[in-house]
Amino acid sequence: MEKVKEALVKLLDKYSVPYTKEDLESELPLQCWRMNRKFVELKKLVTTRIVEDPCLLRFCHLTDEKTALADLLYREFDLCEYVMDDSIAALNAAFTDGRSGSVVVTMKSGVIGSVEVGNQLSSANPEVDRHEIIARRGVASDIVVDTQIPQHSIYLYTDDGVQQFKDTDHELYGLDEKEIEWVRAHFEFLKDKSTAAAHQAQHLHLNKLVEMAFESDKEHKKMAL
Amino acid sequence: MKPVKIAILSLTHGHTRKYFQTLHDNPALDWVAVSAETEEVRDVFYHYGYNTIPCYMSDDEMFDAHPEIEAVVIASANSRHLEQVKNCAKRGIHILSMKIPTFDMNEYAEMMEVVEKSFIVFQIELEMHYNPVVDRMKKLFADKALGKVTSFNATNITLSPVWAFPWQGVPELSYGKRVPLREGDHRFCGGALCDHPHIFDMIRWLTGSDYEYIYAQVGPNIRADIEEEDVILVNGKMKNGVSFLLDPSWSRLEERLKVPAPGWEIFPKRMEVNFNISGEKGVMLVDSFGPNVYHNGAPNDRYTVQYTYFDEWIGLIDEFVDCIRNHKTPMINLAWHKRTIEAVNACYESVRKGQPVYF
């Protein structure tokens, strides 16, 4: 945590953004993944109508057991809403042992989406996620056609095995993708604190959706907001 | 730190638009003005929405109206650089130059002299040095992750910018003069090779060595109607024994747009800088501009790479400001870059002679 705070302070100072000690300690839920450029670009493809009239989302996120299923659902539900600029109106979930499963969501606009989640990936492997938007005109995705896993920028093959690297931010070089998301999210927030209420409201809304998903799984019932 | 008062000259270089957001956002800069070479160029500039920045139709008119300008980005055809450098040096204005100061080594020497005498900062825009993937590659080299490097193969392949930035298709404006590629060839120097010095620089930087010899071969043009080379392959050896293969071609086809926009590319990825590097401990594969987001939507319904992580201009400008305010010498300065330009010229010499050229 200290590393990311240090990076945040450096960025705030560089761009002359005012902040207090309390700002750095704030635990406001900021939905940090929205700062990942891949989601910014996917959203842009939708909002600028490069892909026109989306109909179906295919989202997936698989991790090791250190990430709770609820956290995966929280993130992916938020991404459905953020990328589409829409909100989830109903869902039907099917999980097994609280470790893996899927949710079919219906957005207010009528767009439907599958959210595959699981935390049974070996901890020796990197996370796998995929976000695909299928529209009447075009498909957008954060993985390359004809592949199943996210790519990296560098592959180093030596006798020690394969090492993979994905560095995405020169200003924050040395931080991993999630740390960069955290720093960028807090930086953006401190530039414009007026978004605090929206973040808090979204947090409550997402918690409700996650709760509904587990309820849906338990009751074998589609749940609507 | 007091913001650097900065301007952009000419606005005709393909990289010009990359600076707009950085000059606008970076609090270390105060973007004062721009000069445009033509009314058409000026209109394109205003199309990007920076309407509060005054645009002048000549450099001198701009400098006279804004004596507070401390630094410029020279964003013009290669053939105009010497004249603009002299004008800035005379006024004590710091310079961020496009990637080719000039291909004429006499002009290059003159530039070095005027820059040295005027004590201005002269930084050359080789933006790959501020790319986060290259940051990692530099670290892996510093850590000797591959042990002794044996071969260094790299691409700097793109679409051709000549339809949007016509000077790049005119040998006199791109290469500085009309020089036939080789006897009996109807084409002239000034094409893809002149557009892609990055890998010629990066191999020097990463291996810490200098060229021993270089061989270059042009192929038949993909675009039969341009008068410069568009596909060219280069190989050779560095003095430390590292063999290399460099591909600086315009080998990705494009729609012939006058202003870059979505749908410019025909091949899905409009620009690639990749490295395949071998060493005694293994192999490194590098994609400096990947991964990304992908789509097959508007305007042409073709599979397209939507560049996703692309922020080189931030670090580049940060270094420029640091050099100005703290009296430092830029990483890529005229003295360092000279050998890279000589290597490009050696490629043309090799094409002409049909044999490797020794340094």
Side-chain angles (χ1 to χ4, degrees):
Chain A
M1 192 50 94
E2 285 315 305
K3 186 165 75 161
V4 289
K5 279 189 185 162
E6 207 173 286
L8 173 62
V9 166
K10 205 168 144 195
L11 214 52
L12 292 166
D13 289 343
K14 176 179 173 185
Y15 289 96
S16 312
V17 177
Y19 61 95
T20 63
K21 191 165 173 280
E22 289 69 37
D23 286 332
L24 302 179
E25 303 302 327
S26 164
E27 296 201 350
L28 186 69
L30 291 179
Q31 295 89 39
C32 299
W33 37 84
R34 294 180 179 194
M35 286 296 116
N36 192 317
R37 289 295 311 175
K38 68 180 182 178
F39 300 126
V40 173
E41 292 301 325
L42 283 175
K43 184 181 178 70
K44 197 159 83 182
L45 291 172
V46 173
T47 54
T48 59
R49 295 183 62 77
I50 298 286
V51 295
E52 293 175 11
D53 303 321
C55 302
L56 173 64
L57 310 178
R58 295 178 62 243
F59 286 11
C60 170
H61 195 172
L62 306 175
T63 65
D64 66 20
E65 61 187 358
K66 287 199 286 290
T67 307
L69 208 63
D71 292 340
L72 293 176
L73 291 168
Y74 181 105
R75 176 188 190 260
E76 297 306 315
F77 288 161
D78 184 57
L79 285 170
C80 289
E81 298 192 340
Y82 170 70
V83 169
M84 297 299 295
D85 200 14
D86 197 350
S87 51
I88 294 171
L91 55 81
N92 188 70
F95 305 130
T96 302
D97 301 332
R99 298 290 305 276
S100 66
S102 65
V103 185
V104 173
V105 299
T106 306
M107 313 293 290
K108 266 191 185 158
S109 62
V111 170
I112 62 168
S114 61
V115 176
E116 297 170 57
V117 286
N119 61 10
Q120 292 175 301
L121 200 63
S122 154
S123 59
N125 294 316
E127 289 184 14
V128 172
D129 71 344
R130 177 232 311 141
H131 301 85
E132 185 176 286
I133 302 158
I134 295 130
R136 288 193 179 124
R137 184 179 192 185
V139 173
S141 175
D142 58 1
I143 65 168
V144 186
V145 65
D146 213 20
T147 58
Q148 298 183 72
I149 54 172
Q151 305 295 298
H152 289 77
S153 310
I154 298 183
Y155 297 89
L156 179 66
Y157 301 97
T158 66
D159 288 344
D160 298 330
V162 185
Q163 285 185 72
Q164 303 170 338
F165 303 92
K166 184 182 173 191
D167 294 286
T168 59
D169 193 322
H170 177 76
E171 276 183 314
L172 299 176
Y173 174 74
L175 301 187
D176 68 26
E177 214 169 352
K178 287 208 167 62
E179 291 169 335
I180 290 168
E181 288 172 3
W182 189 94
V183 174
R184 289 283 171 201
H186 285 77
F187 177 63
E188 284 307 310
F189 172 69
L190 293 175
K191 281 200 297 186
D192 177 13
K193 290 186 190 172
S194 71
T195 59
H199 283 296
Q200 188 59 43
Q202 180 67 358
H203 176 62
L204 296 175
H205 167 68
L206 291 168
N207 278 343
K208 174 79 183 157
L209 289 175
V210 171
E211 208 176 282
M212 277 169 54
F214 285 113
E215 183 74 8
S216 166
D217 171 56
K218 192 172 153 196
E219 301 295 331
H220 298 188
K221 267 177 68 177
K222 173 182 170 181
M223 310 286 286
L225 261 186
Chain B
M1 190 163 61
K2 198 173 118 200
V4 172
K5 295 188 180 300
I6 194 165
I8 310 181
L9 305 188
S10 293
L11 302 175
T12 55
H13 196 281
H15 285 180
T16 306
R17 67 190 191 287
K18 318 273 189 192
Y19 287 95
F20 295 163
Q21 192 178 350
T22 301
L23 264 59
H24 182 263
D25 291 353
N26 193 327
L29 298 174
D30 179 1
W31 187 5
V32 174
V34 298
S35 66
E37 287 202 1
T38 65
E39 289 181 0
E40 193 182 2
V41 167
R42 180 196 60 195
D43 293 345
V44 170
F45 171 69
Y46 282 130
H47 164 79
Y48 284 98
Y50 297 98
N51 298 344
T52 57
I53 305 296
C55 181
Y56 296 86
M57 299 311 294
S58 89
D59 298 348
D60 284 332
E61 191 191 345
M62 180 182 75
F63 288 137
D64 292 344
H66 296 279
E68 73 274 24
I69 291 172
E70 297 173 84
V72 295
V73 178
I74 295 185
S76 57
N78 296 339
S79 60
R80 289 209 60 204
H81 290 172
L82 178 61
E83 156 217 338
Q84 289 178 315
V85 168
K86 284 179 171 172
N87 194 9
C88 292
K90 187 178 71 187
R91 296 168 185 266
I93 293 172
H94 305 291
I95 294 168
L96 181 55
S97 160
M98 292 295 112
K99 52 199 170 187
I100 306 298
T102 173
F103 285 112
D104 182 314
M105 297 321 289
N106 292 324
E107 282 192 6
Y108 203 98
E110 198 178 342
M111 261 187 211
M112 288 181 78
E113 195 183 336
V114 297
V115 167
E116 197 180 331
K117 282 186 177 160
S118 61
F119 302 104
I120 58 171
V121 171
F122 190 102
Q123 182 175 334
I124 296 151
E125 179 220 57
L126 287 186
E127 72 276 11
M128 295 305 300
H129 284 277
Y130 315 89
N131 171 300
V133 178
V134 172
D135 289 337
R136 176 68 61 182
M137 194 167 52
K138 285 179 177 177
K139 181 168 188 321
L140 291 169
F141 265 75
D143 294 346
K144 301 198 180 308
L146 291 176
K148 185 182 167 217
V149 171
T150 54
S151 72
F152 185 106
N153 305 331
T155 58
N156 183 176
I157 55 184
T158 65
L159 45 65
S160 173
V162 299
W163 321 108
F165 307 101
W167 67 266
Q168 289 196 262
V170 179
E172 290 86 347
L173 305 184
S174 175
Y175 190 64
K177 53 197 164 198
R178 185 164 284 258
V179 179
L181 273 180
R182 57 189 173 189
E183 202 178 322
D185 199 308
H186 68 283
R187 296 168 297 174
F188 301 89
C189 303
L193 180 59
C194 292
D195 196 25
H196 295 151
H198 302 284
I199 46 181
F200 292 88
D201 161 83
M202 202 52 76
I203 187 173
R204 296 175 56 220
W205 192 272
L206 289 171
T207 63
S209 187
D210 192 6
Y211 293 100
E212 182 189 359
Y213 70 85
I214 201 161
Y215 171 79
Q217 180 72 50
V218 291
N221 270 18
I222 298 172
R223 300 159 192 80
D225 54 342
I226 66 173
E227 57 177 355
E228 299 162 338
E229 81 286 354
D230 69 5
V231 293
I232 179 164
L233 293 173
V234 177
N235 71 353
K237 270 199 163 184
M238 303 299 281
K239 285 185 172 152
N240 65 356
V242 172
S243 61
F244 62 83
L245 169 66
L246 306 177
D247 180 350
S249 300
W250 284 333
S251 54
R252 304 312 194 202
L253 275 182
E254 64 287 332
E255 296 291 345
R256 297 181 171 194
L257 304 184
K258 288 196 82 179
V259 178
W264 195 13
E265 57 282 278
I266 291 176
F267 184 79
K269 191 167 186 173
R270 66 170 71 159
M271 172 192 59
E272 167 190 308
V273 180
N274 283 11
F275 300 85
N276 290 356
I277 300 164
S278 296
E280 60 187 5
K281 288 188 185 170
V283 169
M284 188 192 301
L285 307 180
V286 180
D287 177 356
S288 308
F289 295 105
N292 292 287
V293 162
Y294 313 87
H295 73 87
N296 69 329
N300 298 323
D301 308 303
R302 293 189 190 119
Y303 194 66
T304 302
V305 171
Q306 173 88 0
Y307 286 98
T308 300
Y309 303 106
F310 202 174
D311 64 354
E312 290 75 20
W313 274 263
I314 296 172
L316 181 86
I317 285 288
D318 285 348
E319 190 195 358
F320 187 45
V321 170
D322 185 38
C323 288
I324 292 170
R325 286 289 177 253
N326 299 310
H327 312 289
K328 293 181 182 171
T329 302
M331 173 168 47
I332 309 301
N333 53 63
L334 278 166
W336 163 263
H337 195 50
K338 188 169 174 234
R339 181 59 106 196
T340 299
I341 297 295
E342 287 169 340
V344 171
N345 279 328
C347 290
Y348 281 128
E349 189 184 340
S350 175
V351 167
R352 203 158 45 247
K353 291 180 171 167
Q355 289 296 334
V357 169
Y358 281 78
F359 284 79

